[in-house]
Amino acid sequence: MSEPFAARLAARTARVGSVLCLGLDPDPAGLPPGFSPDVAGVERFAALVLDAGLPWVAAVKANLAFFEAFGSAGLAALERLRARIPADVPFVADAKRGDIGSTAARHAAALYDGLGADAVTASPYLGSTAIAPLLEREDRFVYLLCRTSNEGAGDIQDLVVGADLAAGWPAEAVHRRVARLAEGWSAHYGTIGLVVGATAPRELAAIRETAPGLPFLVPGLGAQGGDEAAVLASGGVRDGPWAERPGHGLLVSVSRGIAGAARATADPEAAVSEAAAGWSARLAVLR
């Protein structure tokens, strides 16, 4: 896998005409009737969602916790699901890693080499040297947590940090400082984007102003009720190489909004396909 992630994502986005990212987070407590709440049922349902949604999506994002919870059997299921994803569809491992350099190097080996992830999510909390092993792979990509979509995200991410007079940076919210730092790291590595939730539209717009050249992975539409219009207005890259590519570096993840269509229907595969097609059309963003 030597082609840069940016090129592979842009090619797939152009092929499907959408920035939709299919999220896989199969909760055993929320599976439709007919699917057992164990690892076998989780894998079977995730495979159904994956196969039905693939024709409509620019990428697939799997939340690793929903598979890790089952131990080695869950990881084996995740590996089999990964093998179902065609080579031209970028795969994002939603792992939220971030640790000291030696540990991060093993994260890179596990996620990139072991699982075959094209991109991962990671925390910037330990700083640039901690995530460097994830960033150094020129053919892979890292989405740093910036302003997440969950309730309570603002407890820390919206705190105001002091001005950095030496750098010429104003006092600002933590999420904007993360975006500012990430812009600088990107100038060196070129393999950094940001996770910015659709549930925080004002913050999303502010982060785009701070980091006009960084791609966004945006969760929070669908079941979380995020602001679709704000995402389409501010999610795309405005400056730099990503701005010239189909989709402008934007990926919008929808999980329950697609998988949930399988409930209370005699044909869950058709229902999921229809839901994925609908979201794909709503997120039809190209050059």
Side-chain angles (χ1 to χ4, degrees):
M1 188 184 298
S2 59
E3 190 177 29
F5 176 78
R8 286 181 279 130
L9 177 60
R12 178 65 185 183
T13 299
R15 188 169 297 118
V16 298
S18 177
V19 296
L20 174 63
C21 177
L22 176 65
L24 295 178
D25 51 4
D27 187 344
L31 300 181
F35 293 88
S36 56
D38 55 16
V39 66
V42 162
E43 181 179 1
R44 189 162 67 90
F45 180 64
L48 181 152
V49 172
L50 180 61
D51 292 348
L54 269 173
W56 311 103
V57 303
V60 174
K61 178 177 74 68
N63 190 319
L64 269 56
F66 288 88
F67 302 94
E68 292 170 335
F70 291 104
S72 59
L75 292 175
L78 177 60
E79 290 172 350
R80 287 190 291 270
L81 290 165
R82 171 66 184 101
R84 299 175 81 101
I85 301 173
D88 70 314
V89 181
F91 172 66
V92 182
D94 191 359
K96 299 180 176 69
R97 299 296 191 252
D99 210 325
I100 62 172
S102 58
T103 307
R106 302 316 296 158
H107 287 160
L111 297 170
Y112 293 152
D113 301 323
L115 187 58
D118 299 294
V120 300
T121 58
S123 169
Y125 194 66
L126 272 69
S128 60
T129 57
I131 56 173
L134 295 170
L135 299 171
E136 289 168 349
R137 298 284 289 269
E138 295 180 357
D139 59 337
R140 310 301 171 101
F141 203 75
V142 180
Y143 289 102
L144 296 179
L145 303 179
C146 184
R147 182 46 167 89
T148 55
S149 60
N150 59 294
E151 185 178 354
D155 292 350
I156 293 176
Q157 296 165 23
D158 292 351
L159 292 176
V160 175
V161 296
D164 185 329
L165 299 180
W169 296 344
E172 58 193 345
V174 167
H175 59 256
R176 293 194 75 169
R177 184 61 57 86
V178 167
R180 204 178 297 279
L181 288 165
E183 275 270 20
W185 300 339
S186 181
H188 178 70
Y189 292 104
T191 54
I192 300 178
L194 299 174
V195 177
V196 186
T199 53
R202 286 184 298 177
E203 290 82 356
L204 186 149
I207 292 166
R208 176 49 73 212
E209 292 297 325
T210 302
L214 294 186
F216 284 1
L217 171 62
V218 181
L221 288 188
Q224 288 183 281
D227 190 327
E228 182 179 329
V231 172
L232 294 177
S234 301
V237 169
R238 296 176 181 173
D239 295 329
W242 283 91
E244 303 302 319
R245 297 182 181 274
H248 307 292
L250 176 62
L251 263 184
V252 183
S253 178
V254 179
S255 303
R256 286 173 287 172
I258 293 174
R263 297 189 182 92
T265 175
D267 191 345
E269 187 170 2
V272 169
S273 179
E274 182 178 355
W279 275 106
S280 186
R282 290 166 68 173
L283 297 171
V285 178
L286 286 175
R287 192 186 300 269

